[in-house]
Amino acid sequence: MSDGSNRQSEILLEIADGVGTIMINRPDRRNSFTIDMLDPWHEAIEECRTNSDVRAVVLTGAGDEFFCGGGDTSKLGANVVVSPQIAKAEFEALHRIARGMRGLDKPSIAAVNGVASGAGMDMALHCDIRILATHARMSIPYLRFGLYPGNGAAYFLPRIVGTAKALELIWSGQPIDSDEALRLGLANKVAPSDSLRHEVAKFAQMLVNSPPLALKLIRRGVYQSTDQSLDATLELTSSNMAITRTSADHAEAIAAYTEKRTPVFRGE
């Protein structure tokens, strides 16, 4: 897999059929990431955000063993001494990934094809939904190593599973399998390992074929409502409903329904 310029990298981007697929490509290193990978990773997210051909984004790992094993441990630990200033700069670079995924304004899917551990689990949490292979495992063992969750877990995890369960998962650091992830709501779907990519592609195509304006506004509104009052959310609802009811997407959807045909959306 490569982007349109055939660039070979540890972060690969493929754009096809309206879907931008970002792949972490270090299977020999558990798909763990280094600081040097964060610039091309952020560039791939920005390409997906600004490219009108991309209507949905998939994040996954190369191979079938690891989605992302977190930060490369050869660059971490007590034997690697960094100043507070360097550590802060490194985490600012890392946090561009979380901010970039949330700021996409397009739906994102984590195709969790194997182990997602530590900051690698956080990377899956950055996405809107997660589809796990049956053999996938997720864990967040920061406390075991005397660390604060470094990639947004303290923000994303309680919003998905609730405060008490988030604290339990972070404090225990114990891996959970795909069935438990589904039960907790960490996984939206679980697919047989050999058909994960097919199931993700099918869901992504459903999003690509949806009315783009309403899709964007629904995603934006759901996230905004988590930090708003009911009154503020209803005000936003009124505005977004007025926008979508007068849109070309809505007119095309109604016409296609009446004429019993597949709608064709032009995008924004």
Side-chain angles (χ1 to χ4, degrees), residues 1 9-13 21-34 37-38 41 44 58-64 66-70 97 110-113 115-116 119-124 127 151 197:
M1 177 182 292
S9 173
E10 293 173 326
I11 295 294
L12 302 179
L13 172 63
T21 300
I22 300 171
M23 176 176 284
I24 310 161
N25 187 38
R26 295 185 83 213
D28 58 327
R29 294 291 301 173
R30 298 163 41 100
N31 286 330
S32 60
F33 62 84
T34 65
M37 293 168 61
L38 298 178
W41 196 332
V58 172
L59 176 65
T60 194
D64 57 8
F66 291 92
F67 169 77
C68 179
I97 307 303
V112 183
N113 54 301
V115 172
M121 177 173 164
D122 293 354
M123 294 297 187
C127 295
N151 198 17
R197 302 195 190 281

Side-chain angles (χ1 to χ4, degrees), residues 10 16 23 43 51 55 64 100 102 179 230 242 267:
E10 293 173 326
M23 176 176 284
E43 289 167 7
N51 191 327
R55 304 273 284 275
D64 57 8
R102 179 53 59 91
D179 287 340
L230 175 60

Side-chain angles (χ1 to χ4, degrees), residues 26-95:
R26 295 185 83 213
D28 58 327
R29 294 291 301 173
R30 298 163 41 100
N31 286 330
S32 60
F33 62 84
T34 65
I35 294 299
D36 291 339
M37 293 168 61
L38 298 178
D39 279 345
W41 196 332
H42 186 256
E43 289 167 7
I45 295 171
E46 280 296 290
E47 174 65 21
C48 289
R49 184 182 69 83
T50 59
N51 191 327
S52 60
D53 290 335
V54 176
R55 304 273 284 275
V57 177
V58 172
L59 176 65
T60 194
D64 57 8
E65 293 186 43
F66 291 92
F67 169 77
C68 179
D72 190 330
T73 55
S74 67
K75 310 295 183 183
L76 303 172
N79 59 316
V80 180
V81 179
V82 297
S83 70
Q85 292 80 9
I86 292 175
K88 185 175 186 297
E90 289 180 348
F91 276 101
E92 285 175 351
L94 175 62
H95 294 163

Side-chain angles (χ1 to χ4, degrees), residues 108-114 124 128-138 160 177-193 195-207:
S108 60
I109 305 167
V112 183
N113 54 301
D128 299 323
I129 70 168
R130 286 147 294 282
I131 301 178
L132 271 61
T134 50
H135 72 281
R137 299 290 183 272
M138 304 182 83
I160 298 170
D177 61 20
S178 57
D179 287 340
E180 180 68 0
L182 185 64
R183 188 184 72 80
L184 293 176
L186 272 172
N188 296 80
K189 295 174 178 287
V190 172
S193 298
S195 61
L196 172 68
R197 302 195 190 281
H198 171 75
E199 290 299 317
V200 170
K202 183 168 67 173
F203 195 92
Q205 279 303 308
M206 180 273 291
L207 295 171

Side-chain angles (χ1 to χ4, degrees), residues 2 22 63 65 76 154 156 161 185 201-202 214 226 230 233 259 268:
S2 65
I22 300 171
E65 293 186 43
L76 303 172
F156 291 99
V161 301
K202 183 168 67 173
T226 61
L230 175 60
T233 299
E259 298 164 12
E268 298 178 69

